[in-house]
Amino acid sequence: MLVACLHTAASNIALFDAAAHEWVGSPMTLNHMVMPQLLMEAEASGGMTQAQQQHIARLLHSLTPWFDVILITCSTIGAVADTFPMQETGCRVYRTDRMLADRLHQLSGPSRVLCAAPSTLTATRALFCPASLPAERQPTVHLVPDAWDAFKAGEVARYYALIRDAVQQSRQQGAKQVALAQVSMAAAIAGKDSAFPVLTIPALALQALLGR
């Protein structure tokens, strides 16, 4: 299975490669493309414009003959996958934050979604809190204050610390599990805590692809 990962941040490559390492021996090969300008254009417009969506769709279409799966790993531009038609080549296009949302919706108990990038907040709420989801399974969505400014300034240690603090606060406020809505947030969490699950995109996206 040839998988193309479309990133807008180069730092996401290592996170997906680390997640793939957990599936050594699986029929999956990751290929990475980094296009930060796609995020910069969307942020400058206050969100994706129709013209930007069409541009990304054309880009995806040009890639489909070469891959079995394309993963859009940036939450800001991920919505393009929702309307991208199935290709004759059989290539499937997924937004990785939807894979995370699908898993979170299967879990019981109060859930919280943490979001770092303000530009994704509206799209994240729409994705994780659809009207079709029963009230008892509706998560709450929270922006981690100052996190994205720290990330963009290259203050990675502070970025991770703010995320860890938000996760701990979520636990103290009664959440039974937390989902981190941006790929870049995954590195803030080291190891697994079965008593308090923190769901991250790289691990769950690849797990979903492999059907495990």
Side-chain angles (χ1 to χ4, degrees), residues 123-143:
T124 297
R125 283 204 173 101
L127 178 63
F128 283 85
C129 307
S132 59
L133 193 67
E136 65 273 12
R137 291 190 179 273
Q138 289 279 352
T140 58
V141 178
H142 294 254
L143 185 69

Side-chain angles (χ1 to χ4, degrees), residues 69-89:
V69 174
I70 299 173
L71 298 178
I72 303 177
T73 68
C74 174
S75 300
T76 300
I77 67 171
V80 176
D82 292 338
T83 56
F84 193 79
M86 182 70 177
Q87 300 296 294
E88 293 181 1
T89 61

Side-chain angles (χ1 to χ4, degrees), residues 89-102:
T89 61
C91 180
R92 296 162 291 159
V93 178
Y94 298 112
R95 55 186 294 185
T96 55
D97 55 356
R98 182 174 293 283
M99 295 164 133
L100 177 68
D102 288 346

Side-chain angles (χ1 to χ4, degrees), residues 146-199:
D146 302 320
W148 200 239
D149 288 339
F151 180 78
K152 293 177 74 173
E155 299 173 1
V156 177
R158 180 168 175 258
Y159 177 61
Y160 294 156
L162 289 168
I163 293 167
R164 286 192 294 268
D165 287 347
V167 168
Q168 184 62 26
Q169 186 178 56
S170 299
R171 184 175 192 173
Q172 293 170 349
Q173 294 176 349
K176 296 301 182 185
Q177 53 268 328
V178 166
L180 303 182
Q182 271 82 60
V183 171
S184 60
M185 303 172 78
I189 305 303
K192 298 180 180 179
D193 182 351
S194 59
F196 186 72
V198 179
L199 283 61

Side-chain angles (χ1 to χ4, degrees), residues 36-49 52 55-56:
Q37 71 274 18
L38 298 178
L39 175 60
M40 290 188 288
E41 290 169 359
E43 287 187 326
S45 305
M48 276 195 303
T49 65
Q52 289 165 352
H55 170 68
I56 296 170

